[in-house]
Amino acid sequence: MKSSVRLALIKALALPILALLAGGAIFSYQVAVEVANDAYDQSLQNSALAIANRVRFVRGQIRVLLPVEAEQVLRTDEFDRVYFRVRDAQGRLVAGDADLPSPVGGEQDETTTFYDAKYEGREIRAVRLYAGTFNNRFYVTVAETTRKRASAVRRLLLALVLPTALVVVATGIMIWFGIASGLKPD
């Protein structure tokens, strides 16, 4: 009888604990993705702003004064491929990767937009920045593949979920011994 009571108690407690662990893992994953995206999105936006600061209007023509060396630095990354594009307000290519995907709303939106897409068969994260003066507007898009982001999410997830899993295991052990102790005859 003790064995069946012990088993019933363990079953009754195990399901809610496993549900909490699963809920915690889902929440941890969402937090990890948000933290990684926030950090890397800021870096993308800084690159877009740096390119925007190199745009000049010369005799009514938009020019990107980005030396070859600066472009090489922009595109250099140990883990990911980096792309960029500058278009004028009418959507005409000024510099960079012509076929880099635009956000779903196209180039007409006048806000800074972060978006995910596929480019050259790879997942990318991009920012499209609308910049310039009232009469001379332009779009800067900077994108990168997502290897660093995925790696950061995995590391953050491990850091968030592993301690939780250890607490669940410790709790399970305490429940096991607590039930055994509580079922002992006086």
Side-chain angles (χ1 to χ4, degrees):
M1 174 163 152
K2 281 186 199 177
S3 177
S4 63
V5 171
R6 179 182 302 155
L7 190 58
L9 286 170
I10 289 172
K11 283 182 182 178
L13 292 171
L15 189 58
I17 289 172
L18 291 175
L20 284 172
L21 179 62
I26 291 168
F27 178 76
S28 295
Y29 176 76
Q30 291 170 338
V31 168
V33 168
E34 186 176 330
V35 167
N37 275 341
D38 286 350
Y40 289 113
D41 283 355
Q42 185 62 53
S43 177
L44 276 178
Q45 187 170 13
N46 289 344
S47 295
L49 288 168
I51 293 170
N53 286 332
R54 303 299 302 170
V55 172
R56 301 289 183 271
F57 289 88
V58 180
R59 286 176 253 161
Q61 295 289 324
I62 185 173
R63 302 276 185 244
V64 180
L65 305 177
L66 191 63
V68 173
E69 295 83 9
E71 183 176 336
Q72 287 173 342
V73 168
L74 171 72
R75 292 182 182 270
T76 300
D77 187 289
E78 185 179 352
F79 301 103
D80 287 309
R81 300 271 322 256
V82 179
Y83 312 96
F84 82 97
R85 176 181 65 218
V86 178
R87 290 187 187 262
D88 65 15
Q90 290 73 43
R92 292 179 296 238
L93 180 69
V94 176
D97 304 293
D99 55 346
L100 190 61
S102 296
V104 173
E107 298 290 358
Q108 311 324 324
D109 189 9
E110 296 183 2
T111 61
T112 298
T113 304
F114 291 94
Y115 61 99
D116 298 307
K118 270 195 153 216
Y119 183 60
E120 296 180 343
R122 297 179 176 114
E123 297 293 325
I124 61 166
R125 178 74 171 171
V127 62
R128 198 276 329 272
L129 177 76
Y130 188 65
T133 61
F134 180 73
N135 293 329
N136 298 311
R137 304 297 281 172
F138 57 93
Y139 297 95
V140 176
T141 303
V142 177
E144 67 183 0
T145 54
T146 58
R147 289 181 63 203
K148 282 187 307 227
R149 288 171 191 264
S151 176
V153 167
R154 282 191 301 272
R155 290 190 320 265
L156 285 167
L157 196 55
L158 184 62
L160 293 169
V161 172
L162 187 60
T164 303
L166 292 174
V167 167
V168 168
V169 169
T171 302
I173 291 169
M174 288 187 295
I175 289 170
W176 177 267
F177 287 111
I179 290 172
S181 173
L183 291 176
K184 280 185 182 174
D186 290 334

